[in-house]
Amino acid sequence: MTLRVYNTMTRQKEEFTPINPGRVGMYVCGVTVYDRCHIGHARSQIVFDTVVRHLSHLGFQVNYVRNFTDVDDKIINRAAERKTDWKSVVAENIDAFYEDMDALAIARPSVEPRATDHIAQIVETISLLVKKGFAYAKNGNVYYSTRRFAGYAKLSKRNIDDLLVGARVDKDELKKDPLDFALWKAAKPGEPSWPSPWGEGRPGWHIECSAMSMAHLGMPFDIHGGGKDLVFPHHENEIAQSEAAYDREFARYWMHNGFVQVNHEKMAKSTGNFFTIRDILKSYSAEALRLFLLSAHYRSPIDYSEQSLADAQAAVDRLYDLLDALRKRPYEDAALDESQLDETQRAAVTDARRAHDDFVAAMNDDFNTAKAQGHLFEVANLISAAIAPGAGAVGGRNMVVTELVRIFEIMRGVLGLLAAEPEAYFAGKRSRTLCRAGLAEQQIQELIDRRSAARKAKDWATSDAIRDELAAKGIVLMDSPQGTTWAPK
């Protein structure tokens, strides 16, 4: 089965052929570390983590580079707001980034370069662009001359003259053309700066990614990825400056994930529909968020809602129930001998292998995780049937379960799901249920005590009302001779 990837550059799916057989170089634009990551960041990181997982499953050795933009206007402004230095802002938010990514089971890339560690490469590339006439210096700033590059806008497919419509030019603008962009910014008092041929200053955003990707992957490399919002101008500018400087193709395949909408609207702090990863993980498991964000094709927009997360949470709960059942119904690993299986058991193995092939085919069709998820649940259902009481002779059952679990492990590993032990997962489920319900343990106990008093007084209406109130919030009450306890629904 051949892997096909949708290339933003050509607007079509193409057979994936790496530049170096068996090896893939992939660069994905990381975050600007001035604040906590939100659900849009989560989608991009989960998408490309899953791409790496599938490429590895196919046997490729992947050199995955994901950068940090650690010097930028936003970082400098945030430091000024907090009356601290920019390095403290960077350090704090990189730590927070790792906390979020580790919670989402996102594997660390091969390399995680920082812009400030690549000033020499940045200055070298800018110097080459100035020498070749693609850039010009003014008052310590250096700008890229956009119209000098004949292929400008080939990624976004825009008309360069149309780009001028609505262009805003500041009063003190030094650019020759509104479309030109900064490669190097002259130092301002109190801002971080580095020496350069044009004076003290710092790099512009676009040149950082060109320098970091070329430093760690060379040029050209196989895959350049990021969110759809980066197609223009960020990735367009990366292409223009890199190819003008070095006279060769920058990257072979361009991949862009779609936006996350909230109740069909663009996510924005100003509208109040803005969610950080940390906020979401108080109420829902990381696997639920991951399953939800992989439930649509990565290039399509996806609509976030409480119901969507609740549905994904319920699906993940079922998978963990299955894992728990496997632990509680121990079976012996057994090498498969199909001659020892009955007809039902042979059919289960056949169906699981077909589901695996369909799973790989879906992932090979431009990483279609939406279809791939369905095949994962197919195998989960087959495992449930295989461990059910009376599911054939013990010897054959052990063989079947061993084979089905082997297939299931491959699929869940590619999707990055079910990394926790069931005990740890269910312990977390209790605290997440409390958070969604907006209740503390003590408040639930008070309601349980009120209900017990009502039952003792034969006030069944009050007793039922309390039970129903908690059930509506995902809390199930369980009565026994020893008293009443609660559990997540």
Side-chain angles (χ1 to χ4, degrees), residues 63 210 212-222 248-251:
N63 185 11
S210 287
M212 286 185 280
S213 61
M214 289 187 287
H216 296 282
L217 295 173
M219 183 176 169
F221 54 92
D222 296 297
R248 54 184 181 271
E249 183 185 27
F250 181 42

Side-chain angles (χ1 to χ4, degrees), residues 151-168:
Y152 194 75
K154 63 182 178 179
L155 180 68
S156 60
K157 305 294 188 273
R158 300 186 181 196
N159 184 305
I160 193 167
D161 292 317
D162 292 343
L163 297 176
L164 283 172
V165 177
R168 185 176 64 187

Side-chain angles (χ1 to χ4, degrees), residues 471-482:
K473 294 182 177 181
I475 295 167
V476 178
L477 297 183
M478 298 168 290
D479 298 316
S480 72
Q482 290 74 39

Side-chain angles (χ1 to χ4, degrees), residues 58-133:
L58 295 178
F60 291 108
Q61 182 179 341
V62 184
N63 185 11
Y64 176 26
V65 182
R66 183 189 67 202
N67 75 293
F68 288 114
T69 294
D70 62 343
V71 59
D72 179 84
D73 290 339
K74 293 178 180 178
I75 295 169
I76 294 167
N77 293 339
R78 183 56 51 87
E81 290 170 10
R82 295 184 177 178
K83 295 182 172 54
T84 187
D85 65 285
W86 66 278
K87 289 184 179 180
S88 297
V89 172
V90 167
E92 173 190 334
N93 286 300
I94 286 180
D95 287 346
F97 175 85
Y98 282 134
E99 180 183 329
D100 290 339
M101 296 305 109
D102 290 348
L104 294 173
I106 292 173
R108 299 289 173 91
S110 314
V111 188
E112 294 180 278
R114 300 189 187 192
T116 57
D117 291 333
H118 294 75
I119 300 298
Q121 293 95 327
I122 289 169
V123 170
E124 177 184 342
T125 301
I126 296 173
S127 297
L128 188 55
L129 288 168
V130 171
K131 181 180 178 180
K132 297 177 72 171

Side-chain angles (χ1 to χ4, degrees), residues 76-337:
I76 294 167
N77 293 339
R78 183 56 51 87
E81 290 170 10
R82 295 184 177 178
K83 295 182 172 54
T84 187
D85 65 285
W86 66 278
K87 289 184 179 180
S88 297
V89 172
V90 167
E92 173 190 334
N93 286 300
I94 286 180
D95 287 346
F97 175 85
Y98 282 134
E99 180 183 329
D100 290 339
M101 296 305 109
D102 290 348
L104 294 173
I106 292 173
R108 299 289 173 91
S110 314
V111 188
E112 294 180 278
R114 300 189 187 192
T116 57
D117 291 333
H118 294 75
I119 300 298
Q121 293 95 327
I122 289 169
V123 170
E124 177 184 342
T125 301
I126 296 173
S127 297
L128 188 55
L129 288 168
V130 171
K131 181 180 178 180
K132 297 177 72 171
F134 285 97
Y136 56 93
K138 274 198 174 182
N139 295 7
N141 301 279
V142 182
Y143 299 99
Y144 185 86
S145 186
T146 302
R147 292 182 186 275
R148 285 276 290 114
F149 183 67
Y152 194 75
K154 63 182 178 179
L155 180 68
S156 60
K157 305 294 188 273
R158 300 186 181 196
N159 184 305
I160 193 167
D161 292 317
D162 292 343
L163 297 176
L164 283 172
V165 177
R168 185 176 64 187
V169 182
D170 296 331
K171 289 187 299 183
D172 59 350
E173 183 59 74
L174 300 172
K175 297 186 291 186
K176 294 178 180 178
D177 187 306
L179 293 180
D180 295 349
F181 57 89
L183 299 169
W184 188 260
K185 297 182 178 183
K188 295 178 182 178
E191 290 188 352
S193 64
W194 291 263
S196 80
W198 317 282
E200 289 282 328
R202 57 187 174 88
W205 176 36
H206 311 300
I207 194 65
E208 294 175 352
C209 282
S210 287
M212 286 185 280
S213 61
M214 289 187 287
H216 296 282
L217 295 173
M219 183 176 169
F221 54 92
D222 296 297
I223 298 173
H224 197 316
K228 192 168 289 186
D229 57 314
L230 298 180
V231 173
F232 184 88
H234 186 51
H235 288 168
E236 199 72 77
N237 291 350
E238 281 189 62
I239 293 169
Q241 64 203 10
S242 303
E243 296 188 356
Y246 297 102
D247 296 315
R248 54 184 181 271
E249 183 185 27
F250 181 42
R252 188 64 49 85
Y253 301 89
W254 291 83
M255 295 179 62
H256 295 93
N257 64 273
F259 298 120
V260 177
Q261 300 173 325
V262 179
N263 296 322
H264 306 290
E265 295 180 354
K266 183 178 179 181
M267 186 173 64
K269 287 184 179 180
S270 59
T271 59
N273 62 353
F274 182 88
F275 301 95
T276 66
I277 295 171
R278 175 172 287 188
D279 289 337
I280 294 168
L281 296 189
K282 291 176 183 176
S283 301
Y284 299 96
S285 72
E287 288 99 334
L289 179 56
R290 187 169 185 123
L291 189 74
F292 161 66
L293 290 173
L294 294 176
S295 66
H297 192 279
Y298 77 90
R299 286 189 284 114
S300 302
I302 188 168
D303 193 59
Y304 171 91
S305 67
E306 288 292 322
Q307 187 59 53
S308 299
L309 262 292
D311 291 345
Q313 187 67 72
V316 172
D317 285 351
R318 291 196 298 274
L319 292 176
Y320 270 105
D321 285 338
L322 175 60
L323 292 186
D324 194 43
L326 284 169
R327 302 289 195 277
K328 292 177 179 177
R329 294 176 180 270
Y331 65 94
E332 296 179 7
D333 286 337
L336 187 63
D337 179 356

